Amino acid sequence: MSLIQHLKENKEKILQKWFEEILKTYPPETTQHLKKNNNPFANPIGHTLGESIFNIFEGILEERSPDELISDVDQIIKVRAVQDIKPSEAVNPVLLLKSIVRTEFEKIKNTAENREHYAVIDKIDHLILLSLDLYMESREKINEIKLSEYNRQYYRLIQRGNQGQNN
Amino acid sequence: MSKYVPTRKNLLKSIEEESNFLSGLTPEKEWLDTPISFRPGNWCHGGKPQVIESLDAPNPRKWSPNDKDWQLPANWQKIIHQGMKDQLDKSRTLKIFMDTCVRCGACADKCHFFLGSGDPKNMPVLRQELIRSIYRKDFTLGGKLLGRLAGAREMTEDVLKEWFMYFHQCTECRRCSVFCPFGIDTAEFTSMARELMHSVGVNINWIMEPASNCNRTGNHLGIEPHTFKQMVESLVEDIEDVTGVTVEPTFNRKGAEILFITPSGDIFADPGVYTMMGYLLLFHHIGLDYTISTYASEGGNFGSFVSHDLTKKLNAKMYHEAERLGVKWILGGECGHMWRVIHQYMDTMNGPADFLEEPVSPITGTKFENARSTKMVHIAEFTADLIKNDRLKLDPRRNNHRTVTFHDSCNPVRAMGMVEEPRYILKNVCNNFHEMPENTIREQTFCCGSGSGLNTNEYMDIRMRGGFPRANAVKHVHDKHKVNLLTAICAIDRVTLKTLMEYWVPGVEVSGLHELVGNALVMEGESERTEDLREDPLEEIEEDEDEDI
């Protein structure tokens, strides 16, 4: 059986597993709410994550190009970007699918000999995530210095504009 | 966020050892023991010393919430304890709220900050526990004897820091209170906590500086009278450019029938200024005898975000000005917390305003009996009454380029029941109107996420998170009905929803209600309108037999 065929047959189960893995880092009090409430407006995070991963997984099964899945990835990232987590954690939901798919793959094909290979690949994934954090750090620094340069340039003007305040 | 991104060594350590996706570990401690951590984006700057001094408020000093030492007064715990005792003695409701919660959880998933962050301390019940745990320790026998077993704990600096974080992650919107079977008002807890923190000098500059400016100059940016007047006059010129009509507002005119007070954001902020232009057109259209004050030049009451006394003082200013000018009554613009203060506090704080008359619309003769005591009428009610009595010439087709949805602002809807009037107006001034889903509007409305003095840009992460439930509902009508305009009757909304839309739902603009009224008003002697008040082109209107506008 091909992997895609196997994934299609186990779609519901895999999505459920994926969703639960994503919810795991939220505190337990929150996980209950994110899991159980089906109203999209009463549970915007759970709904957005659930809907996006469904669309992404379906896109993968239909062998669509990643470019076509961008709006769903964007939904996940937008939510994660304003939560108290690192960039690497924000993007991790996508990588979580990889380990789930690998487990499924091992069910249809014995790949024990590939374990060593996996260990190396995992390290590389880890480095990719680290790179993302560092990349963000650099981009944020650029924004910060842009803003402080702007403030310095207009310092007197702002000060003048503020006259009449604080005294 | 850049400062928050850790050093490489710490990053590696945290990824491998802390609870996160990669380590697969989840938080082990209970919420009560989970410490807070301040990172850029999740706290607001502390009150500046000169601002605190100008208000004669306690403990002025240069400090920042992410400092280890907050430079509290030596006896700060005693001050907090005494403050809590005073508040409990003064407010019976607060005492009842302290004791009645049965932790049923009805409020837990109703807070926009919880829904947007997933942080359990944003569940209203847990946010209240942050204070209740201290109340139990200090004021209940069970808490004194059993301590932690009875859910009690000591007041420590860590608890104070936790208060600072989470009582500034509550916008006092009161959505949770709608669902509480006991009607416990979480906003009262937040008010109490903020007042207690204020008593030891723990407050945020974005609240204190506007409050200080309102106190000294009359409006939150500290705009002086001549500048304030110039700003309104520049709007008069813009109105003339678009409509060919010259409106003639007056300032500080004694003997005018009505004093008009609106948030100062309507005078200088984008897109609030277009709402101001709408008011000016409306008043000209009906020939209202009104004046604008350059002293009571702010409707918003920034005092209400920090203390009872400051709320009272800033509110009194409006009434003193009405008395000085000798007007009959006050007409209030599209504001949020101004109306909560007027509708729920003014009467017992500064009222009744016996020196004014019971408001009567000079155009329709309608008596606003609901404002008998405060003598202040909401503009939405005033305009709805004009439309109902057929006193306005309106052409709603001039808003055909807008597909509109309405955001119920927390304070007008939940603190004064201003639900149907804005909708009635909207349906008369535009042709394309769609409601957001039922559990996100009217009394169940979601906050903008930036109210109660949190609309400062260093707080952007928290604001975008808290605004997500609202944005999620706007996205729904944007996708389904192609909504491109979000209308609201609150000045903080007009500023912050625009930012929220830029992040979550690009393509949706934000406006006030009276901007759309201004667009639709057919003015006497006007030139042909080709642009709306923003100077955006109108959709071409096909003239047909339907000329009876």
Side-chain angles (χ1 to χ4, degrees), chain A residues 30 78 80 82 85 144 164, chain B residues 2 4 21 26 118 216 465 503:
Chain A
T30 308
K78 271 214 161 89
R80 310 279 296 171
V82 291
I85 47 180
E144 198 178 282
Chain B
S2 62
Y4 146 52
F21 282 123
T26 51
R216 198 187 74 86
R465 184 186 309 178
Y503 185 76

Side-chain angles (χ1 to χ4, degrees), chain B residues 36-236:
Chain B
I36 54 154
S37 88
F38 288 107
R39 299 162 173 163
N42 80 358
W43 52 271
C44 302
H45 296 305
K48 290 180 192 164
Q50 65 271 32
V51 170
I52 304 301
E53 272 163 14
S54 76
L55 289 166
D56 289 327
N59 198 15
R61 73 216 179 279
K62 198 168 186 304
W63 74 290
S64 171
N66 66 342
D67 290 344
K68 198 163 182 302
D69 177 8
W70 277 15
Q71 306 165 62
L72 300 171
N75 60 339
W76 74 270
Q77 278 145 314
K78 270 194 187 151
I79 299 175
I80 297 258
H81 176 86
Q82 189 55 44
M84 203 185 270
K85 187 172 181 310
D86 292 346
Q87 291 201 27
L88 288 164
D89 288 345
K90 194 167 67 181
S91 165
R92 206 167 45 162
T93 48
L94 196 61
K95 198 160 167 26
I96 292 169
F97 291 164
M98 284 289 181
D99 292 324
T100 45
C101 174
V102 293
R103 291 171 223 31
C104 69
C107 62
D109 57 357
K110 305 305 185 293
C111 170
H112 52 288
F113 280 116
F114 172 69
L115 296 178
S117 70
D119 181 346
K121 284 186 199 172
N122 279 326
M123 292 177 179
V125 55
L126 285 200
R127 201 185 289 112
Q128 291 169 16
E129 283 294 301
L130 302 180
I131 278 204
R132 275 207 190 94
S133 51
I134 305 302
Y135 163 76
R136 289 195 196 101
K137 182 77 188 167
D138 286 12
F139 298 97
T140 69
L141 185 63
K144 279 177 191 163
L145 292 176
L146 299 171
R148 190 64 184 262
L149 270 178
R153 62 174 174 171
E154 297 275 351
M155 186 70 204
T156 62
E157 252 186 80
D158 280 345
V159 171
L160 186 69
K161 289 181 177 180
E162 197 177 40
W163 282 12
F164 180 80
M165 177 163 278
Y166 287 99
F167 290 108
H168 289 112
Q169 284 185 42
C170 165
T171 44
E172 306 183 342
C173 82
R174 303 163 80 231
R175 183 173 195 263
C176 53
S177 309
V178 171
F179 297 89
C180 174
F182 293 105
I184 294 174
D185 185 345
T186 302
E188 294 284 325
F189 279 85
T190 299
S191 301
M192 176 193 189
R194 289 194 187 178
E195 186 154 348
L196 291 175
M197 288 190 281
H198 180 61
S199 69
V200 294
V202 173
N203 38 40
I204 67 174
N205 199 59
W206 187 249
I207 292 175
M208 299 314 295
E209 192 162 317
S212 163
N213 287 334
C214 290
N215 180 49
R216 198 187 74 86
T217 321
N219 56 70
H220 84 268
L221 275 192
I223 299 167
E224 312 246 347
H226 54 288
T227 317
F228 186 87
K229 184 167 174 276
Q230 278 168 6
M231 283 172 156
V232 177
E233 282 167 350
S234 78
L235 296 178
V236 170

Side-chain angles (χ1 to χ4, degrees), chain A residues 21-22 24-27 29-30 33 37 39-42 44-45 48 75 78-89 92 96 126 129-130 133-134 136-137 140-141 144 164-167, chain B residues 1-5 8 11-12 14-15 20-22 26 31 39 42 50-51 109 114-118 120 123 209 213 216 221 224 437 439-440 446 461 464-465 468 472-473 475-476 503-504:
Chain A
E21 288 293 319
I22 295 174
K24 263 186 184 170
T25 49
Y26 289 98
E29 297 92 339
T30 308
H33 162 71
N37 196 326
N39 183 299
F41 306 106
I45 295 182
T48 304
Q75 287 302 306
K78 271 214 161 89
V79 170
R80 310 279 296 171
V82 291
Q83 298 188 332
D84 253 345
I85 47 180
K86 299 183 189 77
S88 52
E89 291 177 78
N92 200 267
L96 285 171
H126 204 135
L129 291 176
L130 274 176
D133 285 343
L134 298 169
M136 278 305 296
E137 187 184 357
E140 289 287 340
K141 192 78 208 166
E144 198 178 282
Q165 292 187 62
N166 310 335
N167 47 26
Chain B
M1 197 167 123
S2 62
K3 287 177 205 154
Y4 146 52
V5 176
R8 288 155 206 220
L11 186 66
L12 205 60
S14 69
I15 286 180
N20 60 42
F21 282 123
L22 292 170
T26 51
W31 67 268
R39 299 162 173 163
N42 80 358
Q50 65 271 32
V51 170
D109 57 357
F114 172 69
L115 296 178
S117 70
M123 292 177 179
E209 192 162 317
N213 287 334
R216 198 187 74 86
L221 275 192
E224 312 246 347
N439 56 346
T440 72
F446 278 118
D461 291 23
M464 290 304 106
R465 184 186 309 178
F468 177 43
N472 181 50
K475 186 174 182 298
H476 175 75
Y503 185 76
W504 291 108

